[in-house]
Amino acid sequence: MATKPNTPKGTRDFGPVEMSRRNYIFDTIREVFALYGYRQIETPAMENLSTLMGKYGEEGDKLLFKILNSGDFMKGIDSGLLEGEPGRLAARLCDRGLRYDLTVPFARYVVQHREELQLPFKRFQIQPVWRADRPQKGRYREFYQCDADVVGSDSLLNEVELLQLIDEVFRRLRIRVAIKLNNRKVLAGIAELIGEPDKLIDITVAIDKIDKIGIEKVEEELAARGLGAEAISALRPMLKIDGTINERLRKLGEMLAGSATGNLGVKELQFVVDSTLALGLDATLDLDVSLARGLNYYTGTIIEVKALDTEMGSITGGGRYDNLTGIFGLPGISGVGISFGADRIYDVLGALDLYPAGLGSCTRVLFANFGAESAAVSARLVKALRAAGVSAEVYPDEVKMKKQIGYANNAAVPFFAMIGEDELAAQKVTVKNMATGEQTQIPFDGIVDFFAK
Amino acid sequence: MATKPNTPKGTRDFGPVEMSRRNYIFDTIREVFALYGYRQIETPAMENLSTLMGKYGEEGDKLLFKILNSGDFMKGIDSGLLEGEPGRLAARLCDRGLRYDLTVPFARYVVQHREELQLPFKRFQIQPVWRADRPQKGRYREFYQCDADVVGSDSLLNEVELLQLIDEVFRRLRIRVAIKLNNRKVLAGIAELIGEPDKLIDITVAIDKIDKIGIEKVEEELAARGLGAEAISALRPMLKIDGTINERLRKLGEMLAGSATGNLGVKELQFVVDSTLALGLDATLDLDVSLARGLNYYTGTIIEVKALDTEMGSITGGGRYDNLTGIFGLPGISGVGISFGADRIYDVLGALDLYPAGLGSCTRVLFANFGAESAAVSARLVKALRAAGVSAEVYPDEVKMKKQIGYANNAAVPFFAMIGEDELAAQKVTVKNMATGEQTQIPFDGIVDFFAK
């Protein structure tokens, strides 16, 4: 018992101050989700491995946390298995894993409950996910996702609504953001027009890095991935489109005129941009032809949000997928969704000092403990304060005042109330403002008015 | 892909209506916790097995969900292990498990963060726990616990505060409850006085069942556990104490006069009861000498709450433990805590039909979709409504009215708003009250006042 116990690698405890900040973020997102008509669901932490495996690529399968079958997990395991692949043994030992994201469990939910669900279904979900990734700065093995999706509707009004929703969340959090848009069909049109339709994935994987490594390195990578010089030089002007978002859309439309798919992508973007700008938003709206975000997944609009006033990758992302539930045998359900990155938003708010004052404190007034009689009277006043909605406490132990005041300071309690012998006699409370040091005497029967006003 | 995917055995999805009910419970408990000065923490879903093992007894260890080590979990496993006990192989394959309750992770938290923590520390925690129990009606493998504990104070004022807190939560939920009290020291005094101090556990395990099996069966069990006839007949009157809670305490005090420990237990109970009754409470306060609740754990006050108007075991429980963090090498920290059973409270509220009306609905008004122009105008009005805090939506697709109204019904949306050609010309919205069928025409610029009033 000598060594201090610890949280497992890559996981964290959240103390009271961190929790108040995290709740500020989650409550803001939750309120906006509800205001926009999204309805909350929760799914279990564990899913059958058959639900999870093969949905995140080979790399993703390796990052699943698997749960050991209990009881008779030894049954039928022979030593021959040990000489095989680790994966084969794991398959015998484990039937379940921890969820890796909220999207696959949501797809499973829609298929499992399809008889009870009325489409379109607008759901939100705020829950932790687990990935057996190598932990590093800002990357954890347990973290929360905050997802909103609409399934069962292919109307672009859903995209417009999600962009407004993103704008509203960051307006409330006071984070200035740029929302970048793209469309999978635009990427397909580009690949088609430069004569490399089969290299769509190579092209997008490479150009997705343009912000990080610059256009020259991207072109080197394209060459390494087998694109001809002609294709690369045809691609160049498409990546260099500039101007306002409407100018960019016009130029892109001209460049993609020869591709029906590309054209449709531009038209979809134009509708989303026009409708969103007509309604007005605080965020900047950008067109970013290099934006891909897990291309194999999205089939239409692609969305990514970055904070303007601090460096911090993507803090929200999403897009349209045309076949979410197809993996579970229910084809033809289109959806569009977004996911807020709570951990990064947490860091952005900290870096920009945007947390509201007083978040960390919960109790407004702590009553000192001067012994049994004082404590009993204090408990009566505290009961009246709580009934009026004022968070209040009596210090439980009769110890030195210094320790009691230290407790109030530590918990950021703004007022310290004292009922000593003199106060008991006068039926008054001495209330100390912890910030200014100012002391006021309040009659017992005036204490609720003093704090509840 | 033919078989429908499912949640793993013993786990559940929560849809929008269930979530609104669960949130009603969690929000009520969370608000009262905060009002009473408890501060929220969260710990990771997984803990190191060294933190969890040996804390819940042999049976508990078997019920831990263990997580397979990733990557090189095969390293060093030879076939000899397969012939050994399952436990030995599991120990090589797993370093971590899912938390089994919130108490052991909290003890680990206190020890790990003891340098930053100011004692007494009042914390609350609302998170799921996992147990590999055989699933049955009302027993799940994943369920939420809602715990509040004070550590680092042995003052009985903490017990008094927790009883008020319990009373306030159930007052808000409108569930009439009885709070039963006991004290470990009373149980020890009884064992001492009937001449069987070493049989304390046998006695309490047996008498804990008195409500279920009756006193005769309890006495049979006591005999089977080796208690003499004399001890059993000495015990009988102690289990038959009746009268008001103060009468019971007086009689118990007389019976236990010969045991210093028993006497102290009665004195503690008397203080807690007097202080709580002086402050007033809605719940009934009972003394139950047979109440034990995991006796090995509690060292002082023992608390259990039952609903009065429906049959449903214990819906909240708790007590004082004198050595929570001793298991992690930090002795001498006393604590007292309670745990609300959210799943049972959920069932009680359902059985007594106590959920507030309108919980399941989130959107107040759904705007019908009559095509592009109508939808664009509707989106503008919806934006204004949302800015005024009114949850509103535009139906995303231009489909038959019947389907759109069906969606509103399904989501329990109380108002359906229509902007057809006539309304567009007149700059008015036709608003239908879904409950009464009544229709009203509202000018576009009056829509916010209509709903935000």
Side-chain angles (χ1 to χ4, degrees), chain A residues 144-401:
Chain A
Y144 270 73
Q145 290 193 334
C146 312
D147 284 20
D149 290 81
V150 194
V151 292
S153 164
D154 51 19
S155 164
L156 293 169
L157 292 179
N158 297 302
E159 272 89 335
V160 175
E161 178 171 88
L162 287 170
L163 294 177
Q164 290 180 267
L165 189 159
I166 290 170
D167 188 57
E168 179 67 16
V169 165
F170 289 111
R171 200 185 60 71
R172 291 186 181 206
L173 295 175
R174 300 188 297 140
I175 299 174
R176 297 196 320 126
V177 297
I179 305 176
K180 292 184 186 184
L181 297 176
N182 197 12
N183 191 300
R184 159 75 179 254
K185 299 184 182 95
V186 164
L187 290 165
I190 288 174
E192 189 187 325
L193 284 176
I194 66 172
E196 302 276 8
D198 298 339
K199 289 231 168 338
L200 174 55
I201 290 176
D202 287 304
I203 295 167
T204 51
V205 166
I207 67 177
D208 205 25
K209 301 177 186 163
I210 202 164
D211 280 356
K212 281 189 194 139
I213 61 176
I215 195 158
E216 283 76 20
K217 294 262 185 220
V218 165
E219 294 188 347
E220 280 171 27
E221 183 169 334
L222 287 169
R225 284 171 180 270
L227 255 76
E230 214 170 318
I232 292 176
S233 61
L235 177 62
R236 200 170 301 148
M238 300 187 185
L239 297 179
K240 287 191 164 169
I241 294 173
D242 59 7
T244 66
I245 190 161
N246 273 313
E247 284 164 12
R248 287 176 195 222
L249 276 169
R250 189 180 47 74
K251 290 178 194 171
L252 189 65
E254 286 165 9
M255 287 176 180
L256 297 182
S259 158
T261 305
N263 231 302
L264 183 55
V266 174
K267 283 224 172 79
E268 289 186 5
L269 280 168
Q270 188 75 57
F271 178 84
V272 169
V273 168
D274 286 349
S275 306
T276 305
L277 292 177
L279 291 166
L281 78 172
D282 286 10
T284 311
L285 218 50
D286 282 343
L287 174 68
D288 183 350
V289 175
S290 70
L291 182 66
R293 285 190 71 84
L295 169 93
N296 291 313
Y297 189 68
Y298 295 123
T299 52
T301 310
I302 304 171
I303 301 167
E304 186 167 270
V305 182
K306 289 197 170 176
L308 289 177
D309 301 319
T310 184
E311 280 298 323
M312 176 78 61
S314 157
I315 57 176
T316 291
R320 178 170 288 278
Y321 38 84
D322 272 344
N323 199 11
L324 176 70
T325 56
I327 46 174
F328 298 116
L330 184 65
I333 294 188
S334 180
V336 55
I338 54 168
S339 184
F340 288 90
D343 284 299
R344 285 187 173 175
I345 293 172
Y346 183 93
D347 289 343
V348 168
L349 288 171
L352 300 177
D353 199 16
L354 289 176
Y355 287 108
L359 260 193
S361 102
C362 119
T363 292
R364 280 207 73 209
V365 51
L366 177 73
F367 281 71
N369 190 323
F370 288 98
E373 196 184 346
S374 157
V377 172
S378 298
R380 242 194 323 115
L381 300 185
V382 161
K383 183 179 165 112
L385 283 166
R386 287 170 177 163
V390 179
S391 177
E393 294 177 74
V394 187
Y395 192 88
D397 303 283
E398 188 188 346
V399 294
K400 286 195 181 122
M401 247 345 90

Side-chain angles (χ1 to χ4, degrees), chain B residues 190-212:
Chain B
I190 290 174
E192 191 187 322
L193 283 174
I194 65 172
E196 301 276 9
D198 299 339
K199 289 232 168 343
L200 174 54
I201 291 176
D202 287 303
I203 295 168
T204 51
V205 166
I207 68 177
D208 205 25
K209 301 177 188 163
I210 203 165
D211 279 357
K212 281 189 196 140

